[in-house]
Amino acid sequence: MGEAVADGQRWLRVPVGPEGPQWSTRAGAARVLFVVHNVTSATRLLDVLPLFDADPRVQCLATCTGSSPYLHGVPELLADAGLPILPWEQAVETPADLAISASYGGELHLIQGKLAILSHGIGYNKRLPTPDTGHRTPDTGHRGPGPGTEFGRAPVFGLSPEWLLRDGKPIAAATVLSHPEQLTRLRRACPPAARTAVLAGDPCFDRLLAALPHRDDFRRALGVAAGQRLIVVNSTWGPRSLFGDTHDVLPWLLDSLARELPVDGYRRCAVLHPNIWHGHGPGQVRAWLRHAEYAGLTVVPPLGPWRQVLAAADAVIGDHGSVTYYAAAIGTPVLIGAFPAQDLDPASPVAELGRTAPRLRPYEPLLPQLEKLLAGHHPDRYAQLTDLATSAPGASAGLLRRTFYGLIGLPEPSPPAYLPRLLAPAHGDDPAAVPPATPLRTPLQVLTHVHDRRPTAPPEITVTRYADVGSGPYAPSAPSTTASPSAPTGQATPQVVASHTAIHEDAPDSTRLPLADLVLHDSQPEPAVWTQEAMRRHRHCAMAACVTTPDTCLVRVPDGSLITLTASPGPDDHRDRCDPSVYASALYAWYERGKCLEDLLDGLTVVTGDAAHHLQVTITPPG
């Protein structure tokens, strides 16, 4: 794309600008300008960008208002979108047939063209002061309140005159709403803007609804094993959010997730608002969460597949952000960890969620709270809130495209409008990809029970592993060594007769390694050699085990024999998604009981939580 430098910024020469008609191949295309406030608003714009696919009559462009405090990450996101990027100063001097924004931030009234504004969340719910950026705010001409303004006295973002009007007139030609309840509030709060309202559904929620039939695919991609529960921790931004420090629940919550939830019974993910990532810096956020990641928390990147994670979740611990509401709207149990009602419009659906959803009780045991939440939840509990998410479920693509093309003045393309389907979370080098379930880097306290053997059945061993995150202000007493806390409610609890410590050799705190009864590793190029060297390096340990494939573990025992433990495919022919290092702990329990290894050649059953994993066992004698 051709560029020229003006006022210290690079201005586009192609496909817009004075020379655009001369140098552009399709100089007569209608111009659609996507106006980005920050990464959060940009993600909603990316949802609707495909509505212009395959139409050579339309040239899409992008610009950034520069008005948000959260500008980190915007240049990279726009570059990845591959659209011509106009500096804001050039954008307001360039006529557009249509501009689309998902925020009211910035001097949107300067845009030369019709403006459509979408919500970048679940409608309009929050009170938010108009920003005092040194520019005049999008209101009636007064400067915005200073930074000390209380949210409770601030206008409702997106529904109040302070945000919607300029000199008494609506900024937008089309104010896109997802449900008539928003129109009712708009008419009450800002009558002049009500005539611009367009009911066009919620594209984000529609994509989430379309993804729900693929829930099992998402769970497999996230490494959720049979019998495991996926717990998602979600936070919006701000000091009164779950991640915020007004009440500082987060340290206790992260500690409790690691200590109380058996690592093989629960998979844990965190979905954080992009403003957290881009306000504090990705490196800092990851540093804050690093110990939690070592203990099994998967942190979804700011542009990662959070909707797929939400569709896969068994429960969500969240706050007053849109993601928690979306979770409730698809029938997922939610536990509210932070909810500043004063920051919300009391007539909004999100405020209603806060009045009806159960609350997290900080500093009380977490696992019983989760078990009660899951046991007592009915999928239709939030049916009323589901109905308020959108008045046109599955129809937003058609409604939005009709609105956009009507504003441009072009007939719609003949193929039906659609939004791309959400694909299973991918792993890889893409910064937006979800990391795979990584080996636990925190020492594991392992409780085992060797069941009495039935004559016609293979041996069965129950294994319950806990992350040992050390002592700290939130540390409860150690897990019981007389009962397995992971046994399903209402079932007999087996007596645990042994415990041991398993530690990954790459654990960041190497001083813990001398405590290991079982040393672990994964994906070594020569696993058999590694097990031999590990037994030599760590003479205090009884076994060394290396995970070689997603369903296989190779274990070196004291006499030098190599034991290969491989999971048999399940009834659905999918390979076992349990962490194979748990197989090694079962073998350790068997060996420490003085049992004969050859007795396992007919098979071994390992129980984690309420899931049974059937293993094939082979023995290679020392060479």
Side-chain angles (χ1 to χ4, degrees):
M1 289 169 285
E3 296 176 329
V5 178
D7 297 328
Q9 288 188 298
R10 293 189 177 275
W11 284 42
L12 290 187
R13 298 170 61 189
V14 179
V16 297
E19 301 168 279
Q22 177 183 356
W23 298 108
S24 298
T25 301
R26 298 192 64 87
R31 296 170 181 171
V32 175
L33 178 67
F34 285 84
V35 183
V36 173
H37 183 59
N38 52 28
V39 169
T40 309
S41 68
T43 55
R44 179 56 56 93
L45 296 178
L46 294 177
D47 275 339
V48 302
L49 177 61
L51 296 178
F52 298 100
D53 281 358
D55 190 348
R57 301 172 300 165
V58 174
Q59 168 69 63
C60 292
L61 310 162
T63 189
C64 178
T65 62
S67 58
S68 174
Y70 305 104
L71 292 177
H72 181 273
V74 171
E76 295 81 1
L77 184 148
L78 291 178
D80 287 345
L83 298 179
I85 303 170
L86 283 68
W88 178 245
E89 290 75 12
Q90 184 183 13
V92 298
E93 292 187 10
T94 302
D97 297 278
L98 173 65
I100 306 174
S101 176
S103 173
Y104 284 90
E107 298 179 293
L108 300 180
H109 61 282
L110 297 178
I111 291 173
Q112 298 186 41
K114 296 176 181 177
L115 175 64
I117 297 186
L118 316 175
S119 165
H120 60 259
I122 184 77
Y124 296 105
N125 307 283
K126 291 184 179 179
R127 296 185 180 274
L128 192 66
T130 53
D132 187 0
T133 60
H135 302 291
R136 298 179 79 77
T137 57
D139 55 18
T140 56
H142 300 288
R143 284 194 178 277
T149 299
E150 286 295 325
F151 279 59
R153 284 177 257 148
V156 176
F157 175 78
L159 292 183
S160 60
E162 293 88 341
W163 287 102
L164 278 70
L165 304 183
R166 175 76 181 187
D167 297 327
K169 297 180 181 179
I171 298 169
T175 302
V176 178
L177 306 176
S178 60
H179 194 279
E181 72 83 17
Q182 296 162 26
L183 179 56
T184 299
R185 288 190 286 140
L186 178 61
R187 284 174 174 156
R188 183 168 58 244
C190 187
R195 60 181 174 82
T196 70
V198 177
L199 289 170
D202 183 331
C204 178
F205 190 51
D206 279 359
R207 296 186 75 194
L208 179 56
L209 290 175
L212 292 180
H214 304 278
R215 168 183 164 87
D216 289 344
D217 293 338
F218 300 159
R219 289 173 70 85
R220 276 191 289 271
L222 291 166
V224 180
Q228 267 190 325
R229 290 166 168 170
L230 173 60
I231 308 299
V232 175
V233 176
N234 163 248
S235 178
T236 189
W237 62 280
R240 289 193 278 261
S241 68
L242 182 57
F243 203 86
D245 56 7
T246 297
H247 301 290
D248 220 14
V249 172
L250 184 74
W252 165 83
L253 177 59
L254 294 177
D255 192 85
S256 297
L257 286 167
R259 289 181 186 279
E260 295 187 46
L261 275 56
V263 298
D264 301 301
Y266 290 84
R267 182 96 160 83
R268 291 148 288 176
C269 286
V271 174
L272 306 179
H273 194 285
N275 286 358
I276 297 175
W277 289 96
H278 298 296
H280 294 282
Q284 178 62 79
V285 172
R286 289 206 171 275
W288 283 334
L289 298 176
R290 188 154 292 134
H291 285 180
E293 287 189 279
Y294 292 154
L297 179 73
T298 293
V299 182
V300 180
L303 294 179
W306 65 268
R307 281 171 290 206
Q308 292 94 317
V309 173
L310 208 59
D314 291 291
V316 171
I317 303 173
D319 54 19
H320 60 299
S322 293
V323 173
T324 305
Y325 190 98
Y326 280 134
I330 62 173
T332 303
V334 297
L335 196 59
I336 302 297
F339 206 89
Q342 68 271 33
D343 294 354
L344 298 167
D345 180 353
S348 68
V350 171
E352 180 62 21
L353 174 64
R355 290 189 289 266
T356 57
R359 298 297 181 99
L360 179 72
R361 299 188 303 278
Y363 311 108
E364 295 183 20
L366 177 63
L367 184 57
Q369 296 185 61
L370 285 173
E371 289 178 336
K372 181 180 179 181
L373 176 74
L374 291 162
H377 182 74
H378 190 279
D380 293 332
R381 173 171 183 162
Y382 302 111
Q384 180 183 3
L385 299 181
T386 303
D387 292 340
L388 293 175
T390 174
S391 59
S396 66
L399 294 171
L400 286 170
R401 193 177 74 173
R402 185 185 312 158
T403 299
F404 294 156
Y405 274 84
L407 292 169
I408 296 170
L410 284 176
E412 287 188 71
S414 55
Y418 69 93
L419 300 170
R421 184 171 76 80
L422 297 169
L423 302 179
H427 308 315
D429 297 329
D430 182 351
V434 170
T438 55
L440 294 152
R441 296 294 194 265
T442 293
L444 299 172
Q445 181 180 356
V446 187
L447 310 181
T448 59
H449 170 59
V450 179
H451 295 263
D452 293 334
R453 188 172 181 183
R454 291 169 291 174
T456 60
E460 182 176 304
I461 302 173
T462 294
V463 180
T464 307
R465 304 190 298 174
Y466 293 89
D468 180 0
V469 292
S471 61
Y474 311 109
S477 58
S480 168
T481 57
T482 60
S484 170
S486 67
T489 303
Q491 294 187 18
T493 304
Q495 293 297 304
V496 174
V497 296
S499 67
H500 64 269
T501 300
I503 304 180
H504 196 286
E505 192 179 40
D506 290 346
D509 184 1
S510 60
T511 64
R512 307 288 295 276
L513 271 169
L515 303 175
D517 301 298
L518 173 63
V519 174
L520 306 172
H521 217 298
D522 58 285
S523 303
Q524 285 288 313
E526 297 180 284
V529 173
W530 174 85
T531 59
Q532 189 172 34
E533 292 175 348
M535 294 285 280
R536 187 180 305 118
R537 281 193 295 269
H538 309 289
R539 297 187 180 277
H540 56 278
C541 76
M543 293 183 182
C546 185
V547 174
T548 56
T549 71
D551 56 2
T552 302
C553 191
L554 185 68
V555 186
R556 177 84 62 178
V557 297
D559 70 358
S561 298
L562 281 172
I563 314 298
T564 302
L565 305 168
T566 303
S568 303
D572 56 1
D573 290 330
H574 288 292
R575 69 173 29 168
D576 190 37
R577 294 188 299 279
C578 178
D579 175 5
S581 64
V582 79
Y583 310 158
S585 281
L587 183 70
Y588 181 94
W590 184 260
Y591 187 86
E592 284 298 291
R593 285 281 300 270
K595 301 284 188 176
C596 179
L597 293 178
E598 283 72 15
D599 289 346
L600 302 178
L601 290 176
D602 291 331
L604 170 65
T605 298
V606 178
V607 177
T608 60
D610 58 0
H613 313 275
H614 304 286
L615 308 184
Q616 300 171 359
V617 181
T618 59
I619 301 175
T620 304

